[in-house]
Amino acid sequence: MHIISDTIGMDNTGYGPQEASKAYQYIHKALCKEYGVFTLNVENFSSDKEHIIRYLLKENNTEKVLDVVEVTFQYIEAVIPLINNYAYIAHISSSPDNAIEELNQRFKEHAIGYQYEASPIIRTDSTYTHSEIVKPALSLLSNEIFQGAFDEYTKAHEHYRHNRNKECLAECLKAFESTMKIICSQKKWKYDQKDTASKLIKACAENGLFQSFSETQLGSLKNLLEGGIPTIRNKFGGHGQGEVIQQVDSKLTRYCLNMTGTTIIFMIEQSNIK
């Protein structure tokens, strides 16, 4: 709440500039709508900011606490920079970028296991994996050319955060396929929108996306791509379950998620698309 107050400002309901009050009102309303309630608290507090503070402090459900952080920082990241002279009129002492940086540093200091990256809050089971795979993949996908793949990759992380492993695998495959389709489209390589991962991999290979590798290495890479992400998803996440409900292990899901990120980084860097 200290970070939020430093970045959004004081709730000046009834006097002075109303930008901060509008921000807290938006956040309060968004959370109420998500939970299907009219107010976050039974008590009748005087302001939206007070409702948010009280809810954040008393709520014991980790996911709901993260919801408050996520919705608030989405507003800080997306809306505040668009308001002229916001720092002056709301009397704030921290910028949106500094707020996000401090939030993530606090998470890291206390080993919370989450980071706020490109709007969603993402689980960080491994600091090394996060810095070497997740962040570079999100950075490359943030190019508006790759918007579709970006949305799917961030959805995969959101599903992983909520332990929706099957949905995570499905979004991994979508992000993987979308990345290849975008590369083919940008390079004007022939492909069909209905092509599956195997056909897209073949199209990319035939057009030299992996040309810096020897024939043996290229074959190994194709086998990894064709036999990795699509196979994992097809076996567990994409077909009927039969009489026994299939349970997808979190370790397998994390492996697939990391492999998707690594492969996306490799393909975009090989494509040289800016």
Side-chain angles (χ1 to χ4, degrees):
M1 283 311 307
H2 284 299
I3 300 173
I4 291 169
S5 294
D6 288 344
T7 313
I8 294 180
M10 299 298 293
D11 190 349
N12 298 323
T13 303
Y15 64 92
Q18 299 295 303
E19 275 68 22
S21 298
K22 291 175 183 176
Y24 292 118
Q25 182 182 49
Y26 174 88
I27 294 163
H28 186 197
K29 184 177 180 180
L31 291 166
C32 287
K33 185 176 181 179
E34 177 66 23
Y35 299 140
V37 296
F38 294 110
T39 180
L40 290 178
N41 303 277
V42 176
E43 300 90 338
N44 185 24
F45 296 115
S46 60
S47 69
D48 292 291
K49 181 181 180 181
E50 187 72 9
H51 272 286
I52 295 167
I53 291 174
R54 297 290 183 176
Y55 184 77
L56 187 64
L57 294 178
K58 76 175 185 180
E59 180 56 55
N60 293 318
N61 185 303
T62 302
E63 290 300 326
K64 289 187 176 181
V65 172
L66 288 173
D67 285 343
V68 177
V69 177
E70 188 169 50
V71 171
T72 303
F73 276 80
Q74 284 175 342
Y75 189 95
I76 288 172
E77 180 185 37
V79 180
I80 287 180
L82 302 179
I83 302 175
N84 292 330
N85 299 319
Y86 187 89
Y88 174 75
I89 60 181
H91 306 290
I92 65 173
S93 59
S94 180
S95 69
D97 287 343
N98 288 340
I100 293 170
E101 183 179 352
E102 183 178 357
L103 174 72
N104 285 333
Q105 185 59 38
R106 299 290 183 183
F107 279 165
K108 187 176 180 181
E109 284 175 2
H110 297 280
I112 299 299
Y114 292 94
Q115 291 277 284
Y116 181 91
E117 296 283 355
S119 290
I121 288 182
I122 292 173
R123 275 173 58 180
T124 55
D125 297 293
S126 164
T127 302
Y128 179 83
T129 299
H130 183 72
S131 63
E132 295 298 319
I133 298 176
V134 178
K135 291 188 74 171
L138 287 171
S139 177
L140 289 169
L141 290 174
S142 65
N143 184 331
E144 60 181 11
I145 295 172
F146 292 99
Q147 185 62 52
F150 176 85
D151 291 342
E152 290 154 355
Y153 187 60
T154 53
K155 282 180 183 177
H157 277 280
E158 185 175 353
H159 286 311
Y160 179 60
R161 169 187 150 192
H162 293 285
N163 295 311
R164 297 191 291 260
N165 294 336
K166 291 180 183 179
E167 291 84 352
C168 177
L169 295 183
E171 292 299 332
C172 281
L173 181 63
K174 289 179 185 178
F176 176 53
E177 291 179 345
S178 292
T179 301
M180 289 189 285
K181 287 178 181 179
I182 292 166
I183 291 173
C184 287
S185 179
Q186 290 293 311
K187 295 289 188 180
K188 301 189 184 307
W189 296 338
K190 186 177 180 181
Y191 78 102
D192 191 290
Q193 275 293 336
K194 297 179 180 179
D195 282 349
T196 58
S198 295
K199 290 184 178 179
L200 291 166
I201 291 169
K202 184 177 180 180
C204 289
E206 288 178 347
N207 283 282
L209 185 64
F210 317 119
Q211 61 187 0
S212 62
F213 286 79
S214 67
E215 185 175 351
T216 302
Q217 291 170 318
L218 177 59
S220 298
L221 177 61
K222 287 180 65 177
N223 289 336
L224 173 64
L225 298 179
E226 290 177 332
I229 299 166
T231 299
I232 291 173
R233 188 264 180 181
N234 289 341
K235 187 171 182 179
F236 293 107
H239 299 292
Q241 303 184 99
E243 294 181 0
V244 179
I245 296 176
Q246 296 280 4
Q247 297 296 328
V248 182
D249 182 77
S250 292
K251 295 184 180 66
L252 177 64
T253 305
R254 183 169 66 248
Y255 169 73
C256 183
L257 189 60
N258 292 338
M259 185 162 61
T260 302
T262 303
T263 306
I264 285 173
I265 293 169
F266 172 75
M267 290 192 298
I268 294 178
E269 288 182 344
Q270 284 294 109
S271 72
N272 292 315
I273 294 175
K274 303 298 184 181

